[in-house]
Amino acid sequence: MTGTGDGGASGAEGPVKSDRAVVRDALGVGVAVGLSGFAFGVTSAGSGLSLLQTCALSLLVFTGASQFALVGALAAGGNPLTAAAGAFFLGVRNAFYGLRLSQLLALPRAVRPFAAQWVIDETTAVSLAQPTRRGARIGFAVTGLTLYVLWNLTTLLGAMGADAIGDTDAWGLDAAGPAVFLALLAPMLRTTTERAVAGIAVVLGLGLLPVLPAGVPVLVAALAAPLVLCMEGYRPGRSRGGAGHNVRAGRNGQRDNAEAEKEDR
């Protein structure tokens, strides 16, 4: 399981973590999130999807936020193409996770197409939290397997029991998936830029719900990232040519020259 560069999964040395501790943490994440598949199964069946369609979404798509976005838009009467587009753009984030995990895990080429199915928020978070490549691989495998099995099992149970539960809106189960996603996302918003992107996305998504068709506000909310990045580029002291940096470098250079002249004297 070990490979070249096993000494630092996150690029910096960290405390040694036993395999048992990694498995314990991975199982905790997998079980906690996997049980929310029940809410998806109920919500999907309540939105009009059949048992087969609901289970196929979990088996093939397997990215909770995108699945909830799709069935939520359909339940609100949105166009299927618009709902699918919103779910697709939410799922694109997993491609960026894959770029980082491909370097971190360094799995054999024959295994990568199968491992790609498990590249989601939870497996990425557990893998990046490990100080070694061995730990990252164990965390990825245990989290992915646990979550995939439980998510699909609870999806099936939820879809089968949807009729017995009745109105899903009355139970508030449609909010379970987004709540889990936000709980995972919140600790990752460490910088001002990241918080600004999240805040503007929330304002756009919720503010446009009354005026745009179901599924479209999610697409518009994606514009928050480029908007904040453009604002970052035009902040005072951040000119296109890096003038703020050049001024500071010039001042440092002047101080260094003055100190050198004093030493020569």
Side-chain angles (χ1 to χ4, degrees):
M1 290 291 287
T2 57
T4 305
D6 184 59
S10 59
E13 293 185 359
V16 177
K17 198 172 184 179
S18 67
D19 293 349
R20 180 176 296 180
V22 176
V23 171
R24 179 195 62 214
D25 295 344
L27 285 174
V29 173
V31 171
V33 180
L35 293 177
S36 63
F38 182 83
F40 169 73
V42 173
T43 305
S44 179
S47 67
L49 272 67
S50 67
L51 177 64
L52 180 60
Q53 290 171 327
T54 298
C55 292
L57 276 175
S58 285
L59 285 168
L60 302 177
V61 179
F62 188 55
T63 169
S66 299
Q67 294 177 228
F68 273 103
L70 176 63
V71 299
L74 292 176
N79 184 285
L81 293 179
T82 304
F88 171 79
F89 280 106
L90 275 177
V92 164
R93 72 189 186 280
N94 294 334
F96 295 98
Y97 294 161
L99 294 176
R100 178 67 183 97
L101 289 180
S102 65
Q103 300 175 349
L104 174 62
L105 302 177
L107 297 173
R109 291 186 180 274
V111 178
R112 292 182 184 182
F114 302 98
Q117 178 70 353
W118 290 353
V119 176
I120 54 177
D121 302 292
E122 294 80 11
T123 55
T124 301
V126 173
S127 299
L128 293 177
Q130 310 311 319
T132 64
R133 175 168 293 165
R134 176 182 175 83
R137 286 178 170 180
I138 294 174
F140 177 85
V142 174
T143 305
L145 178 61
T146 305
L147 185 50
Y148 190 77
V149 171
L150 274 181
W151 180 268
N152 283 281
L153 178 60
T154 53
T155 293
L156 174 62
L157 295 176
M160 292 176 62
D163 292 336
I165 291 178
D167 185 10
T168 56
D169 291 338
W171 289 85
L173 293 176
D174 55 331
V180 172
F181 182 73
L182 288 176
L184 291 168
L185 178 65
M188 302 174 68
L189 303 177
R190 297 187 179 93
T191 66
T192 303
T193 301
E194 292 168 347
R195 296 189 186 100
V197 171
I200 294 176
V202 169
V203 171
L204 288 175
L206 295 180
L208 296 175
L209 276 177
V211 296
L212 292 179
V216 176
V218 175
L219 302 178
V220 178
L223 298 176
L227 178 61
V228 172
L229 291 177
C230 287
M231 294 171 62
E232 281 281 308
Y234 287 100
R235 283 194 314 178
R238 281 199 178 188
S239 62
R240 295 178 183 177
H245 175 73
N246 291 336
V247 169
R248 289 192 297 271
R251 290 174 180 172
N252 292 335
Q254 291 176 359
R255 285 197 296 268
D256 293 340
N257 292 336
E259 291 174 1
E261 288 177 2
K262 289 180 181 179
E263 290 178 359
D264 291 338
R265 291 175 185 173

